[in-house]
Amino acid sequence: MDSLDDAGVYKLSDDLALIQTVDFFTPIVDDPYDFGQISAANALSDVYAMGGKPLTAMNIVCFPTKKLDISILQEILKGGIDKMREAGVVLIGGHSVDDPELKYGLSVTGTIHPDKIIATSGAKPGDKLVLTKPLGTGILSTAIKAGVTSQQIISEVTMCMSALNRDASELMQGTEVHACTDITGFGLIGHTFNIAKESLVHVQIYSTELPMLSDIQKFADMSMLPGGLHRNSEFYSKFVRFSDKVPQYIKDVVFDPQTSGGLLIALPPQNAKWLLSELSRKVNTRAAIVGEVLSGTPGITIE
Ligand code: CO
Ligand code: CO
Ligand code: CO
């Protein structure tokens, strides 16, 4: 409970541990099927971030039966089940309540070898940081709600958020990895800081290497910034130093809360290079080496 890890781990025997996590939230896209897919991918991600294998899941549903037609819920659940099927995860139950605000998510149970847990605490000076998905889902969701985006942007961000982190997780398990987490509500900075704090290291982020969804600069300049971005900035700014050359929109993007974001993986430079080439060959994500681990006080420098 004290560590800043993505999921809870409970050792059953010398070679088997349970890994458990729960996540649910309000809709971030209009299409109910897409929302189901995204929420399931997001809930499964915490197991993948620790190098585990999700096995079973249970639905968590809050639904306003008096306000919305039940067919909307059916579409959400169908999106969730299809995503679980893609992940090889079996739905074994769930619980629903009548609630004025719609929410959907999963509790997920998986397994992991107790010696193969990839925690946030193992990053070492000299490691490179690989990020496996582009940033900007919070800014784009805000722009979508404001009705200022094209259908193409909606499809791009929906595809990004509904993509499983499974393949990236399986690939990283094929090499020596020191630490990993997934980028979600606290944004790139918040989750990177968790690694810095748990590993007792300093992190340098390369601002020019950050993969981003389309038109992020345009929408950041239009102030399409979600409330969570400001909260992240207020909380984490004291741990971050920006060099003078970092443009304003990057200073926004690094605090942008992500839904179902990518994995952030700390590993030796030659392993990072290997992982990146495997990712681009097999997963077709927009992965990139976005920084490196330095010795020093826990914190982040953005160059
Ligand atoms: Co997480
Ligand atoms: Co989570
Ligand atoms: Co029940």
Side-chain angles (χ1 to χ4, degrees):
M1 284 289 284
D2 291 340
S3 73
L4 300 165
D5 277 313
D6 293 291
V9 182
Y10 184 80
K11 189 172 171 180
L12 294 171
S13 68
D14 283 345
D15 55 7
L16 189 65
L18 275 181
I19 180 160
Q20 293 179 295
T21 180
V22 55
D23 255 297
F24 64 113
F25 47 67
T26 55
I28 30 133
V29 290
D30 283 337
D31 185 289
Y33 180 83
D34 288 341
F35 171 53
Q37 292 242 306
I38 291 166
S39 193
N42 180 75
L44 292 165
S45 175
D46 281 325
V47 174
Y48 294 132
M50 297 190 75
K53 181 177 167 50
L55 295 176
T56 61
M58 297 214 246
N59 280 333
I60 298 162
V61 176
C62 305
F63 193 78
T65 47
K66 287 173 197 78
K67 254 183 5 200
L68 293 176
D69 192 84
I70 200 75
S71 64
I72 292 175
L73 179 58
Q74 285 161 349
E75 277 297 298
I76 293 171
L77 297 180
K78 188 170 181 303
I81 284 181
D82 284 353
K83 190 50 68 177
M84 285 179 249
R85 192 168 294 148
E86 181 190 336
V89 166
V90 181
L91 181 72
I92 55 168
H95 189 78
S96 55
V97 291
D98 203 325
D99 190 302
E101 192 168 24
L102 170 58
K103 303 172 197 82
Y104 170 66
L106 301 176
S107 77
V108 182
T109 299
T111 54
I112 190 165
H113 192 292
D115 300 336
K116 298 207 170 124
I117 297 165
I118 304 172
T120 49
S121 58
K124 292 181 173 58
D127 283 350
K128 293 286 184 189
L129 289 170
V130 170
L131 176 64
T132 67
K133 278 189 190 180
L135 299 167
T137 69
I139 290 169
L140 285 189
S141 301
T142 307
I144 290 168
K145 272 181 203 144
V148 293
T149 56
S150 63
Q151 188 54 47
Q152 198 190 328
I153 296 265
I154 296 174
S155 311
E156 182 186 343
V157 68
T158 300
M159 235 165 69
C160 176
M161 293 188 292
S162 55
L164 289 173
N165 282 329
R166 175 193 56 197
D167 296 346
S169 174
E170 285 177 4
L171 281 174
M172 82 168 167
Q173 291 168 53
T175 188
E176 180 196 350
V177 166
H178 292 154
C180 178
T181 191
D182 58 345
I183 306 301
T184 51
F186 300 129
L188 177 69
I189 290 296
H191 294 282
T192 302
F193 183 68
N194 285 349
I195 287 185
K197 193 178 166 202
E198 290 288 312
S199 302
L200 299 170
V201 293
H202 194 84
V203 170
Q204 183 177 347
I205 299 280
Y206 315 140
S207 66
T208 53
E209 301 299 317
L210 296 174
M212 274 173 260
L213 292 160
S214 300
D215 288 344
I216 285 299
Q217 178 167 10
K218 179 176 117 188
F219 293 122
D221 289 346
M222 287 165 70
S223 287
M224 293 291 156
L225 309 177
L229 187 153
H230 298 293
R231 284 191 292 277
N232 287 340
S233 166
E234 261 166 50
F235 186 79
Y236 289 107
S237 278
K238 53 183 172 292
F239 306 115
V240 185
R241 198 184 62 77
F242 289 100
S243 92
D244 295 340
K245 62 182 186 219
V246 177
Q248 181 55 45
Y249 81 98
I250 300 273
K251 291 181 182 173
D252 293 327
V253 167
V254 295
F255 291 114
D256 187 38
Q258 303 298 285
T259 299
S260 192
L263 300 182
L264 182 73
I265 306 164
L267 70 180
Q270 63 274 24
N271 306 41
K273 230 185 264 170
W274 173 86
L275 181 62
L276 208 59
S277 74
E278 290 295 293
L279 281 167
S280 61
R281 210 160 56 86
K282 293 180 178 156
V283 186
N284 195 26
T285 63
R286 297 201 18 230
I289 294 177
V290 299
E292 66 188 72
V293 179
L294 308 170
S295 56
T297 42
I300 299 166
T301 302
I302 306 196
E303 290 256 312

